[in-house]
Amino acid sequence: QVQLVESGGGLVQPGGSLRLSCAASGTTFSIKAMGWYRQAPGKERELVARIINGQSPNYADSVKGRFTISRDNAKNTAYLQMNSLKPEDTAVYYCTATRSSNYRVDYWGQGTQVTVTS
Protein backbone atom coordinates (compact mmCIF):
# COMPACT_ATOMS: atom_id res chain seq x y z
CA GLN A 1 0.00 0.00 0.00
CA VAL A 2 1.03 3.58 -0.74
CA GLN A 3 -0.27 6.70 0.97
CA LEU A 4 0.06 10.16 -0.62
CA VAL A 5 -0.29 13.49 1.20
CA GLU A 6 -0.21 16.75 -0.79
CA SER A 7 0.63 20.23 0.41
CA GLY A 8 1.57 23.64 -0.98
CA GLY A 9 -1.63 24.78 -2.65
CA GLY A 10 -2.99 28.25 -2.18
CA LEU A 11 -3.96 31.53 -3.81
CA VAL A 12 -1.51 33.26 -6.13
CA GLN A 13 -1.62 36.14 -8.61
CA PRO A 14 -1.24 35.59 -12.37
CA GLY A 15 2.43 35.25 -13.26
CA GLY A 16 3.29 33.94 -9.82
CA SER A 17 4.68 30.59 -8.71
CA LEU A 18 3.77 27.74 -6.39
CA ARG A 19 5.50 24.50 -5.44
CA LEU A 20 3.33 21.51 -4.62
CA SER A 21 4.72 18.66 -2.53
CA CYS A 22 3.56 15.06 -2.28
CA ALA A 23 4.86 12.90 0.56
CA ALA A 24 4.63 9.16 -0.13
CA SER A 25 4.71 6.45 2.50
CA GLY A 26 4.23 2.72 2.62
CA THR A 27 5.70 0.44 -0.06
CA THR A 28 7.35 3.31 -1.92
CA PHE A 29 10.10 1.11 -3.33
CA SER A 30 7.59 -0.50 -5.69
CA ILE A 31 6.31 2.75 -7.27
CA LYS A 32 6.83 2.71 -11.05
CA ALA A 33 5.55 6.21 -11.82
CA MET A 34 4.19 9.32 -10.14
CA GLY A 35 2.21 12.17 -11.59
CA TRP A 36 -0.01 15.17 -11.04
CA TYR A 37 -3.60 15.50 -12.23
CA ARG A 38 -5.90 18.49 -11.93
CA GLN A 39 -9.63 19.09 -12.13
CA ALA A 40 -11.17 22.51 -12.73
CA PRO A 41 -14.86 23.28 -12.10
CA GLY A 42 -17.04 21.81 -14.84
CA LYS A 43 -14.14 20.02 -16.53
CA GLU A 44 -12.83 16.47 -16.61
CA ARG A 45 -9.79 15.54 -14.57
CA GLU A 46 -6.68 15.77 -16.75
CA LEU A 47 -3.10 14.58 -16.54
CA VAL A 48 -0.74 17.51 -16.01
CA ALA A 49 2.64 15.82 -15.62
CA ARG A 50 4.04 12.33 -15.15
CA ILE A 51 7.44 10.85 -14.45
CA ILE A 52 8.18 7.15 -14.97
CA ASN A 53 11.17 5.59 -13.25
CA GLY A 54 14.26 5.99 -15.41
CA GLN A 55 12.57 8.20 -18.04
CA SER A 56 12.19 11.89 -18.80
CA PRO A 57 9.01 13.60 -17.56
CA ASN A 58 5.94 14.13 -19.74
CA TYR A 59 3.75 17.24 -19.64
CA ALA A 60 0.42 18.39 -20.97
CA ASP A 61 0.84 20.93 -23.76
CA SER A 62 -0.94 23.56 -21.68
CA VAL A 63 1.77 23.53 -18.98
CA LYS A 64 4.88 22.63 -20.98
CA GLY A 65 7.69 25.07 -20.29
CA ARG A 66 6.00 26.40 -17.15
CA PHE A 67 5.65 23.36 -14.85
CA THR A 68 8.34 20.93 -13.69
CA ILE A 69 7.75 17.57 -12.02
CA SER A 70 10.52 16.02 -9.92
CA ARG A 71 11.11 13.35 -7.29
CA ASP A 72 13.40 13.14 -4.28
CA ASN A 73 13.64 9.41 -3.64
CA ALA A 74 15.59 9.86 -0.39
CA LYS A 75 12.67 11.84 1.05
CA ASN A 76 9.95 9.81 -0.72
CA THR A 77 8.55 13.09 -2.02
CA ALA A 78 7.37 14.31 -5.42
CA TYR A 79 7.09 17.96 -6.41
CA LEU A 80 5.34 20.10 -8.97
CA GLN A 81 7.01 23.48 -9.52
CA MET A 82 4.50 25.80 -11.19
CA ASN A 83 5.75 29.05 -12.73
CA SER A 84 4.07 31.76 -14.81
CA LEU A 85 0.69 30.71 -13.46
CA LYS A 86 -2.45 31.63 -15.38
CA PRO A 87 -6.09 31.87 -14.25
CA GLU A 88 -6.86 28.76 -16.31
CA ASP A 89 -4.48 26.81 -14.05
CA THR A 90 -7.02 27.15 -11.24
CA ALA A 91 -8.01 23.63 -10.17
CA VAL A 92 -7.72 20.99 -7.50
CA TYR A 93 -4.39 19.26 -8.01
CA TYR A 94 -3.95 15.57 -7.17
CA CYS A 95 -0.74 13.63 -6.67
CA THR A 96 -0.80 10.09 -8.07
CA ALA A 97 1.30 6.95 -8.00
CA THR A 98 1.19 3.53 -9.59
CA ARG A 99 2.73 0.15 -8.94
CA SER A 100 1.05 -1.38 -12.02
CA SER A 101 2.99 -2.64 -15.03
CA ASN A 102 0.67 -0.69 -17.37
CA TYR A 103 1.25 2.56 -15.39
CA ARG A 104 -2.44 3.06 -14.59
CA VAL A 105 -2.97 5.18 -11.47
CA ASP A 106 -3.87 3.15 -8.40
CA TYR A 107 -3.08 5.65 -5.61
CA TRP A 108 -4.41 9.19 -5.21
CA GLY A 109 -3.73 12.00 -2.79
CA GLN A 110 -6.53 14.01 -1.20
CA GLY A 111 -6.07 17.01 -3.51
CA THR A 112 -4.91 20.56 -2.89
CA GLN A 113 -6.58 23.71 -4.21
CA VAL A 114 -4.66 26.09 -6.48
CA THR A 115 -6.36 29.40 -7.26
CA VAL A 116 -4.82 31.93 -9.67
CA THR A 117 -6.52 35.31 -9.53
CA SER A 118 -5.89 39.02 -9.02
Side-chain angles (χ1 to χ4, degrees):
Q1 294 292 318
V2 174
Q3 297 80 43
L4 304 173
V5 179
E6 298 131 313
S7 62
L11 192 150
V12 65
Q13 294 183 347
S17 297
L18 283 175
R19 190 192 196 197
L20 306 183
S21 298
C22 175
S25 60
T27 54
T28 57
F29 69 90
S30 62
I31 293 174
K32 296 184 182 297
M34 297 188 71
W36 292 89
Y37 281 71
R38 69 184 181 187
Q39 187 167 25
K43 298 184 67 176
E44 295 291 323
R45 188 153 52 190
E46 65 172 341
L47 177 64
V48 175
R50 183 179 68 175
I51 183 165
I52 298 172
N53 295 355
Q55 300 184 22
S56 299
N58 301 115
Y59 299 95
D61 288 342
S62 59
V63 308
K64 194 172 298 182
R66 301 188 296 119
F67 290 12
T68 302
I69 186 173
S70 61
R71 288 180 66 185
D72 185 337
N73 290 333
K75 295 183 177 181
N76 296 316
T77 302
Y79 304 94
L80 185 68
Q81 178 67 46
M82 304 184 293
N83 299 324
S84 302
L85 283 162
K86 305 174 181 179
E88 51 263 44
D89 294 320
T90 296
V92 177
Y93 284 71
Y94 298 89
C95 178
T96 68
T98 181
R99 301 192 295 167
S100 301
S101 297
N102 62 4
Y103 303 106
R104 296 200 67 177
V105 174
D106 51 8
Y107 298 98
W108 293 83
Q110 81 285 354
T112 185
Q113 177 71 47
V114 172
T115 302
V116 185
T117 182
S118 298

